[in-house]
Amino acid sequence: MKKKYFYTIGLLLLVVISCDKQNDWLAAKKQKDLVIPEKLKDFQAVLDQFTSIHTALPIFGLVGTDDFVLTDADFDRCPEEIRNGYIWNKNIWSTDESTNWTQGFEVIMRSNVVLDGLKNITTTSATQLKYRDIEGQAFFYRALFYYGLSQLFCNAYSNNADKELGLPLRLTSDVNIVSQRSSLAKTYEQIISDAVTASELLPEKSANNRRPSKAAAYAILAKTHLVMANFEKALFYAEEALKLSDSLLDFNSNYATISNTYRFPANPFDHPEIIFYAKGMSYGAVMPATAAQAVISDTLYDSYDDFDLRKSLFYYVNTNNQVKYRGSYTGTNSNFCGLATNELYLISAECYTRQEQIDLAQNRINKLLKNRYQQDHYSEILIDNNEDLLIFILQERRKELIGVGNIRWEDLKRLNMETRFQKTLTRNLKGEFYVLLPNSPLYTLPIPNNEIQTSSISQNER
């Protein structure tokens, strides 16, 4: 029975993504031996599939950032999709599919299966808390993956969000419903709604960092409002999350060590900063490993002070004097894509600065950085000019969150909306120059062709 259950769930999640397989699914529903989750433990099992959820977060945006650089030879070694993404080609995907899109919507469907199924369960006083927890987890995952997909397949949020294309909002497990693209404003409204609901349902502390908590839901809300330039609300949710979990790792401790290949413990349950653990899809060019094709930008590497422990813990300099990234919080060759307190401190510091609360901003950035420098070699930041402090904090975001999810890609997109922070990216490969201008439509990845063909949704203009 157990094998049959997991086979059925796997079938449901695979066929629901493509509308052309609806008939197969409807036929499968008629089979007498079809098993549908019925108990709370069954629904929890749907959400506990580590390889289907916690390793499926998209990181393709990293390929197009200014943090990673490919030589001519290494560029030729990369798969077609990576080459296309690196030079911001109009066409990206090497086939009609995109794993970023497909796996993201598979997790969203898992959430919908759980949310729809829970409606048929009658709770008791003994099961009410567990029911609320599972329901909160489902809302959390739907918010998390809609957020991730929006950062790749939608334009940067702006005052025109109600007129721009968002994502198809699939809010039911009914495969007969074919969703068209909502507005960008509606997409963000859904992310916020799901994350708020999750925060109301989830416990303050989860069983472990593989399951979401109230603090994790607040972290999604902080990130979402940050990219919307709603700094007051981003600050509120960052601070709410830090009230529940504010630990920082002292890089002087023996928890991380330069003698380890991957610096931090592998797949940790006890990392003091990790609120929610997840890692990204595997892209060899930008993975945190010596074997990665890309090297780190000289501008980025040279921005670290010699007493800054991140310079040795995050990077490795090989015999060719090339700098490779090896400092992922996963402690493996996978990029960390979860939620952690270091990012929350940086969101808080940025938002305090944007509200001209310099003392509070300095407090937040100093608390983070004193845990990053060699003991007795850190001088507190005392920048009393608001603009200078903001620039400093944004630089620290880049240095601290290197290789984490799509954060650098997201920052480039959102900061391009402010003229003073706009940045033009360039590549020089084999004597040919490629340019990515601020607010270019190339910042928004194309919807995969199979989705266009099966659901007839609108394609992104590039």
Side-chain angles (χ1 to χ4, degrees), residues 192-378:
I192 292 170
S193 174
D194 283 350
V196 167
T197 302
S199 73
E200 295 168 348
L201 295 168
L202 290 169
E204 290 188 0
K205 298 289 183 181
S206 58
N208 56 64
N209 63 18
R210 268 58 169 178
R211 288 186 183 172
S213 62
K214 191 181 295 291
Y218 286 149
I220 293 179
L221 287 163
K223 288 168 65 72
T224 303
H225 284 293
L226 183 71
V227 297
M228 296 172 71
N230 191 337
F231 302 116
E232 181 178 357
K233 288 189 175 180
L235 174 61
F236 172 81
Y237 285 114
E239 288 295 323
E240 288 298 299
L242 288 170
K243 287 177 184 178
L244 299 174
S245 183
D246 66 350
S247 298
L248 286 170
L249 173 63
D250 185 349
F251 279 21
N252 288 281
S253 71
N254 59 8
Y255 189 88
T257 175
I258 193 173
S259 62
N260 291 340
T261 299
Y262 294 114
R263 316 308 199 197
F264 299 92
N267 302 308
F269 282 91
D270 62 346
H271 193 298
E273 294 184 10
I274 295 178
I275 297 172
F276 175 75
Y277 181 89
K279 52 188 180 181
M281 299 175 186
S282 179
Y283 289 110
V286 295
M287 67 183 183
T290 307
Q293 286 91 13
V295 298
I296 295 299
S297 154
D298 290 340
T299 301
L300 174 57
Y301 184 70
D302 292 343
S303 68
Y304 294 88
D305 187 285
D306 287 340
F307 294 115
D308 189 337
L309 292 169
R310 294 173 297 185
K311 193 169 187 176
S312 57
L313 289 174
F314 286 178
Y315 306 109
Y316 167 78
V317 182
N318 65 20
T319 54
N320 294 322
N321 207 35
Q322 294 176 317
V323 181
K324 296 295 185 81
Y325 168 54
R326 289 206 315 204
S328 171
Y329 275 8
T330 66
T332 69
N333 64 354
S334 295
N335 297 75
F336 178 69
C337 292
L339 303 164
T341 56
N342 60 341
E343 183 181 0
L344 291 171
Y345 275 94
L346 287 160
I347 292 175
S348 180
E350 177 182 343
C351 293
Y352 273 131
T353 305
R354 289 182 179 274
Q355 294 187 354
E356 299 185 0
Q357 300 185 64
I358 291 180
D359 290 345
L360 292 172
Q362 289 178 346
N363 174 275
R364 282 308 191 206
I365 196 64
N366 280 313
K367 187 170 183 179
L368 173 67
L369 292 182
K370 73 178 182 181
N371 285 285
R372 300 302 187 248
Y373 276 69
Q374 292 181 24
Q375 288 180 347
D376 303 323
H377 286 283
Y378 179 67

Side-chain angles (χ1 to χ4, degrees), residues 58 108 141-152 167 187-188 191 220 223-227 343 407 410:
I108 288 168
Y141 287 121
R142 196 165 72 181
L144 179 66
F145 278 84
Y146 264 124
Y147 174 85
L149 289 166
S150 70
Q151 302 311 300
L152 294 180
L167 296 168
T187 295
Y188 274 81
I191 295 167
I220 293 179
K223 288 168 65 72
T224 303
H225 284 293
L226 183 71
V227 297
E343 183 181 0
I407 287 179
E410 296 167 15

Side-chain angles (χ1 to χ4, degrees), residues 92-132:
I92 297 291
W93 316 119
S94 56
T95 67
D96 285 338
E97 299 184 8
S98 163
T99 54
N100 291 264
W101 180 275
T102 302
Q103 292 187 22
F105 275 106
E106 283 181 3
V107 176
I108 288 168
M109 178 49 63
R110 281 182 179 268
S111 299
N112 290 335
V113 167
V114 171
L115 292 172
D116 286 350
L118 287 176
K119 296 173 184 176
N120 299 319
I121 289 185
T122 302
T123 61
T124 65
S125 57
T127 61
Q128 182 64 32
L129 285 178
K130 183 60 178 175
Y131 180 99
R132 286 173 57 85

Side-chain angles (χ1 to χ4, degrees), residues 386-403:
N386 206 72
E387 184 71 6
D388 291 343
L389 181 58
L390 178 58
I391 291 171
F392 176 83
I393 290 169
L394 292 175
Q395 290 171 340
E396 288 303 316
R397 269 185 69 87
R398 185 182 182 190
K399 292 158 64 175
E400 176 71 19
L401 302 175
I402 168 69

